[in-house]
Amino acid sequence: EADIYQTPRYLVIGTGKKITLECSQTMGHDKMYWYQQDPGMELHLIHYSYGVNSTEKGDLSSESTVSRIRTEHFPLTLESARPSHTSQYLCASSEIGHISFGQGTRLTVV
Amino acid sequence: GQQLNQSPQSMFIQEGEDVSMNCTSSSIFNTWLWYKQDPGEGPVLLIALYKAGELTSNGRLTAQFGITRKDSFLNISASIPSDVGIYFCAGLSSHSGGGADGLTFGKGTHLIIQP
């Protein structure tokens, strides 16, 4: 099982603020992902990376951006948070055959 | 892109009952994965299936990879209160359409257990 750490677990922030959600994994996995999920709803892929300096947009359009400067680190940034960004954000990484998730960040924009 | 039809959407059952849920698709998958998500947490992998026809158990959970490679089911026997949560299936194909190694998730089955 991969060790994936997301911080913060919960974040309440005002409209217009810039935020960065942190995600780190200790397994040396090349492939990492960000999913967005409203409570009790399906998972939507918003970003993924196949390695350092590789980032791609996922199936669901998102105003967030990501970077992959180090293998273990895949942060997600919102330049100007809005109430519509309120959701849970799940980071994941994969080894051959399956994907493992972090505990998620529950973001609320007020 | 590829789609998975997961059913049922929700289940209300009595403690001790057996549970069955499934995922179907018009596409072929090389791997089927089943996850459980507790409220406020990330999904946790329950069972991974890598071969058509494979039947795998994990405690009270049993999952099968359909022979056609287009479906999978998950059974939970003798349900207990801690089984409550959302169960997601995921299919992994060799096609990369949509990104993330062709990994496609179902929309989830909400399991609610009445004492």
Side-chain angles (χ1 to χ4, degrees):
Chain A
E1 190 72 28
D3 292 320
I4 303 174
Y5 305 100
Q6 289 188 243
T7 57
R9 287 292 313 276
Y10 304 94
L11 179 61
V12 180
I13 200 160
T15 298
K17 300 289 186 186
K18 176 180 179 179
I19 58 169
T20 296
L21 308 185
E22 302 289 349
C23 176
S24 297
Q25 50 99 0
T26 61
M27 301 300 288
H29 292 164
D30 286 325
K31 297 175 183 174
M32 295 188 74
Y33 315 86
W34 278 101
Y35 286 84
Q36 184 176 342
Q37 182 189 32
D38 291 331
M41 303 299 285
E42 61 192 291
L43 300 160
H44 292 287
L45 179 69
I46 52 174
H47 299 283
Y48 62 99
S49 167
Y50 287 162
V52 171
N53 294 326
S54 150
T55 61
E56 302 287 345
K57 291 193 179 294
D59 305 320
L60 181 68
S61 175
S62 173
E63 294 169 343
S64 58
T65 59
V66 292
S67 62
R68 190 86 184 278
I69 298 171
R70 302 197 316 266
T71 297
E72 63 272 20
H73 196 213
F74 190 39
L76 180 146
T77 298
L78 276 165
E79 291 292 333
S80 179
R82 294 208 300 268
S84 61
H85 297 140
T86 295
S87 190
Q88 173 157 269
Y89 294 84
L90 292 159
C91 181
S93 72
S94 74
E95 54 190 344
I96 295 172
H98 72 270
I99 186 172
S100 299
F101 289 89
Q103 290 182 298
T105 295
R106 175 68 62 86
L107 173 66
T108 303
V109 183
V110 298
Chain B
Q2 297 163 316
Q3 287 193 332
L4 289 182
N5 299 310
Q6 185 171 352
S7 66
Q9 270 190 310
S10 58
M11 302 183 72
F12 293 81
I13 63 167
Q14 300 285 333
E15 184 177 350
E17 286 185 14
D18 295 344
V19 172
S20 184
M21 61 191 79
N22 68 81
C23 272
T24 61
S25 175
S26 58
S27 304
I28 288 175
F29 291 97
N30 299 323
T31 298
W32 282 96
L33 307 171
W34 284 94
Y35 290 85
K36 183 193 177 208
Q37 185 178 28
D38 292 327
E41 301 290 331
V44 173
L45 183 68
L46 297 173
I47 293 179
L49 302 158
Y50 300 109
K51 202 164 103 171
E54 180 181 353
L55 184 72
T56 296
S57 293
N58 178 6
R60 292 178 296 107
L61 278 60
T62 302
Q64 183 157 29
F65 192 141
I67 278 289
T68 65
R69 293 165 63 195
K70 294 181 179 181
D71 62 347
S72 177
F73 71 75
L74 174 71
N75 286 344
I76 305 172
S77 63
S79 58
I80 59 177
S82 61
D83 291 333
V84 165
I86 306 175
Y87 292 79
F88 290 98
C89 65
L92 185 62
S93 75
S94 57
H95 301 287
S96 61
D101 300 322
L103 182 67
T104 304
F105 279 89
K107 293 187 178 183
T109 294
H110 291 243
L111 180 61
I112 298 145
I113 297 177
Q114 298 161 331

